[in-house]
Amino acid sequence: MSRHTPRSGIRRYANLVNLGGLLIVVCTTVPLFWMASASFKGPGEISATPPTLLPESATPDNYDIAFVRNGIGHYFLNSVVVACCSTVLILSLAFLAGYALARLPLRGRGAIMTALLMLSVFPPIALLVPLFLMERQAGLLNSYPGLVIPYVALNLPFAIWIMRNYLSGIPRELEEAATVDGAGPLRTALTVILPLARPGLFTAGVFSFTATWSEFLLALTFNGADDRRTVPVGIVLFTSQYQVPYGVIFAGAMVATVPIALLVLIFRRSIVSGMTTGAVKG
């Protein structure tokens, strides 16, 4: 008669976790690999049956069409401007608001955090019509501020939530020492706390940049002019009434994916640190 020891149960649980992690990795990497491979295939090879895993005769024609004929380079620049401006504003406001919620004696802090959490999951489509009317009245359609302002408003609550949880884990003794030296709350936040909050800032920044970079609905509605379109909108408009150039679409998708992949790869340790600290201290 076999016995189940606690160690064997832990080992079985660890194996299940590893198997689940492996499945997640496979489900994530296989579509990315297929997209990268198909971006170098010709139209005939993409629709071939059975499909080929690697391109038999790799060609950069899809990228040439995407950049030269469809102008994805200009869309890429628009996305960089919008995403970078939005992320900088989000981090600036989120740090100050998160510091206030973590340190200052505020009434109703719990209600504020609950409201921020609810706002972070609020569907943007519910605000589409009133935002469009407001931006049309203000003359912000087909402009960079027309996207930056709503992106900041929609992504700021989650960034504040991350920053507040992270800043709560920083020892208060550092602020007390700065106060003894004559520093006020703002100076303490900028000179003492800000350098220590880099992991939290990186985490909030990556989430904010990714959300603004890949956002489609507001970008399609507010910036319909060709010279202000972002990458997601530009890729969708590669299609025509009579054909769908899958190779060109895959090439454009690769151009849109590379910045996000590099961002996560470079700051992966800071992201993990920021998320785990927020989870423990929040």
Side-chain angles (χ1 to χ4, degrees), residues 70-82 140-145 147 219 222-231 233-234 237:
N70 294 334
I72 195 173
H74 186 71
Y75 302 149
F76 184 89
L77 179 61
N78 290 337
S79 291
V80 169
V81 173
V82 171
L140 295 177
L141 296 179
N142 298 318
S143 66
Y144 291 139
L147 284 182
F222 298 158
N223 283 14
D226 185 69
D227 61 338
R228 286 294 183 267
R229 288 172 183 160
T230 56
V231 169
V233 179
L237 297 179

Side-chain angles (χ1 to χ4, degrees), residues 75-84 87 151 207-216 230-232 255-260:
Y75 302 149
F76 184 89
L77 179 61
N78 290 337
S79 291
V80 169
V81 173
V82 171
C84 289
T87 303
Y151 284 172
F207 276 101
S208 301
F209 186 89
T210 303
T212 55
W213 180 272
S214 59
E215 200 282 326
F216 174 77
T230 56
V231 169
V255 173
T257 304
V258 167
I260 301 299

Side-chain angles (χ1 to χ4, degrees), residues 94-120:
F95 172 75
L96 296 176
Y99 179 76
L101 289 170
R103 289 293 193 259
L104 301 183
L106 299 176
R107 293 183 178 180
R109 182 184 289 111
I112 294 175
M113 295 299 296
T114 302
L116 289 174
L117 185 61
M118 295 176 62
L119 289 173
S120 65

Side-chain angles (χ1 to χ4, degrees), residues 36 61 78 190:
D61 291 346
N78 290 337
L190 296 179

Side-chain angles (χ1 to χ4, degrees), residues 20-282:
L22 180 61
L23 290 176
I24 294 175
V25 171
V26 170
C27 292
T28 304
T29 56
V30 169
L32 293 175
F33 175 80
W34 178 260
M35 179 177 66
S37 175
S39 67
F40 291 98
K41 295 180 180 180
E45 190 175 358
I46 291 179
S47 58
T49 304
T52 57
L53 186 61
L54 295 174
E56 296 178 356
S57 56
T59 174
D61 291 346
N62 294 323
Y63 289 90
D64 183 67
I65 295 173
F67 277 95
V68 177
R69 186 184 304 174
N70 294 334
I72 195 173
H74 186 71
Y75 302 149
F76 184 89
L77 179 61
N78 290 337
S79 291
V80 169
V81 173
V82 171
C84 289
C85 292
S86 301
T87 303
V88 169
L89 288 174
I90 290 170
L91 292 183
S92 301
L93 297 174
F95 172 75
L96 296 176
Y99 179 76
L101 289 170
R103 289 293 193 259
L104 301 183
L106 299 176
R107 293 183 178 180
R109 182 184 289 111
I112 294 175
M113 295 299 296
T114 302
L116 289 174
L117 185 61
M118 295 176 62
L119 289 173
S120 65
V121 298
F122 195 82
I125 192 173
L127 303 174
L128 186 62
V129 174
L131 281 176
F132 178 81
L133 296 177
M134 292 171 62
E135 294 216 352
R136 186 178 63 178
Q137 186 70 23
L140 295 177
L141 296 179
N142 298 318
S143 66
Y144 291 139
L147 284 182
V148 171
I149 293 174
Y151 284 172
V152 171
L154 291 173
N155 292 283
L156 185 58
F158 185 63
I160 294 176
W161 179 274
I162 293 176
M163 291 308 305
R164 183 264 176 187
N165 289 343
Y166 187 84
L167 294 174
S168 297
I170 297 178
R172 291 180 177 269
E173 289 76 10
L174 299 174
E175 297 164 274
E176 294 174 357
T179 302
V180 171
D181 292 337
L186 182 60
R187 183 180 176 184
T188 301
L190 296 179
T191 59
V192 178
I193 303 301
L194 182 60
L196 300 176
R198 285 180 296 177
L201 288 171
F202 285 139
T203 303
V206 169
F207 276 101
S208 301
F209 186 89
T210 303
T212 55
W213 180 272
S214 59
E215 200 282 326
F216 174 77
L217 184 61
L218 299 183
L220 177 65
T221 305
F222 298 158
N223 283 14
D226 185 69
D227 61 338
R228 286 294 183 267
R229 288 172 183 160
T230 56
V231 169
V233 179
I235 293 175
V236 171
L237 297 179
F238 285 177
T239 61
S240 63
Q241 183 178 359
Y242 302 103
Q243 64 174 351
V244 180
Y246 291 106
V248 181
I249 292 176
F250 285 137
M254 282 299 300
V255 173
T257 304
V258 167
I260 301 299
L262 292 177
L263 192 67
V264 174
L265 182 64
I266 294 173
F267 298 114
R268 63 187 185 279
R269 292 185 178 180
S270 297
I271 295 172
V272 173
S273 175
M275 290 299 293
T276 54
T277 303
V280 173
K281 299 295 183 181

